[in-house]
Amino acid sequence: KNASVTYKGTKINIVDTPGHADFGSEVERVLRSIDSVLLIVDAQEGPMPQTRFVLKKSLELGLKPIVVINKIDKPAADPARTEEQVLELFLELGATDEQSDFPVVYAIGREGVAKRALADKSKDLSPLLDTILEKVPPAASYNDGDALAAQVFNLGYDNFMGRLAIARIYKGALSAGEQVFVKNEDKEARKGKITKLFSFKGLDSIEAETAYAGDIVLFAGVEDISIGETVVESP
């Protein structure tokens, strides 16, 4: 699932992943399309089996997770113990020193509250969003004249538009109505046309004329497109 928020003038794209090992290839595809990870751990239950699975994949790809210890209002919540268990898990999975020095945010997701220290007072999620802005490297920005390069990491379907592709734009810009080429290691480049283009705003997809490097988009028009394929301007 995809969502986004705009905070202090910066658009933050959020991609939710399934946590179960049965979805291993899907998780890995998503992790390759993002710049950091929010590792959310229950303050009472501690790291779960799915925590281990997603974290292992993240560390292997060189990502530097932000740890969110959630549900600190539970009766048996023990944030200090949970943080220690998370650190042990990082070390067990071979995290580097830099990855093991992870930022921690404490939260009550149901109330929309986050804090950087348990003693802090907070009325919203701004401490979490500030941590994201500080710790997550900004996506490559758009430069006029850059050739388009976007990679598909998930698919959807619409009864009217047919197959939909969800892609991260790495370079250049993508526009509705644009003729593009789809490249795959195993096939010759083939032509396509972007008939509809959407960006994400909150939990909704919003129709867009053009989207730029760093954004995650949804588009229609290339019926045979597959996960992992690259969309470019010329073959």
Side-chain angles (χ1 to χ4, degrees):
K1 299 295 181 182
N2 299 270
S4 79
V5 294
T6 298
Y7 180 69
K8 293 184 176 179
T10 298
K11 184 176 183 181
I12 302 171
N13 279 304
I14 304 160
V15 186
D16 191 18
T17 68
H20 200 276
D22 289 351
F23 295 93
S25 59
E26 187 173 336
V27 169
E28 189 154 348
R29 287 197 305 269
V30 171
L31 290 174
R32 289 182 183 279
S33 71
I34 50 87
D35 301 303
S36 187
V37 170
L38 296 180
L39 187 73
I40 301 173
V41 184
D42 188 299
Q44 180 173 306
E45 297 176 353
M48 304 296 282
Q50 58 266 34
T51 312
R52 166 184 288 271
F53 172 72
V54 177
L55 178 59
K56 184 172 186 294
K57 293 281 186 188
S58 304
L59 296 174
E60 288 171 353
L61 291 169
L63 297 170
K64 299 169 190 167
I66 296 167
V67 174
V68 180
I69 297 180
N70 193 30
K71 302 183 181 178
I72 57 173
D73 59 330
K74 276 189 171 183
D78 189 340
R81 183 199 64 206
T82 301
E83 189 173 335
E84 187 64 32
Q85 290 173 333
V86 171
L87 177 58
E88 289 172 3
L89 184 58
F90 268 69
L91 297 175
E92 187 182 327
L93 295 175
T96 65
D97 290 346
E98 195 175 5
Q99 288 172 322
S100 299
D101 188 22
F102 49 79
V104 179
V105 177
Y106 306 94
I108 307 172
R110 183 176 54 188
E111 296 179 9
V113 171
K115 51 182 76 177
R116 298 202 198 207
L118 288 168
D120 290 351
K121 291 185 178 179
S122 177
K123 62 182 188 298
D124 57 26
L125 290 173
S126 57
L128 173 59
L129 297 171
D130 285 331
T131 302
I132 292 171
L133 292 189
E134 289 168 18
K135 299 296 183 180
V136 179
S141 57
Y142 171 73
N143 292 307
D144 191 26
D146 280 352
L148 168 68
Q151 188 167 44
V152 178
F153 67 86
N154 212 345
L155 299 172
Y157 185 80
D158 180 88
N159 288 334
F160 298 101
M161 294 184 287
R163 180 177 282 202
L164 305 172
I166 301 169
R168 161 85 180 260
I169 304 176
Y170 287 97
K171 286 179 64 179
L174 184 65
S175 300
E178 183 179 357
Q179 294 279 353
V180 295
F181 287 85
V182 179
K183 299 183 81 170
N184 182 314
E185 285 182 349
D186 305 319
K187 301 178 186 175
E188 284 189 22
R190 58 197 192 279
K191 275 187 181 179
K193 182 178 180 180
I194 307 299
T195 55
K196 290 280 187 180
L197 178 68
F198 301 87
S199 184
F200 292 96
K201 184 176 182 181
L203 293 168
D204 300 319
S205 52
I206 306 295
E207 192 162 354
E209 287 299 315
T210 303
Y212 299 91
D215 211 352
I216 289 176
V217 295
L218 176 73
F219 63 83
V222 187
E223 276 298 316
D224 59 346
I225 199 161
S226 297
I227 288 167
E229 293 190 314
T230 304
V231 179
V232 294
E233 291 175 3
S234 56

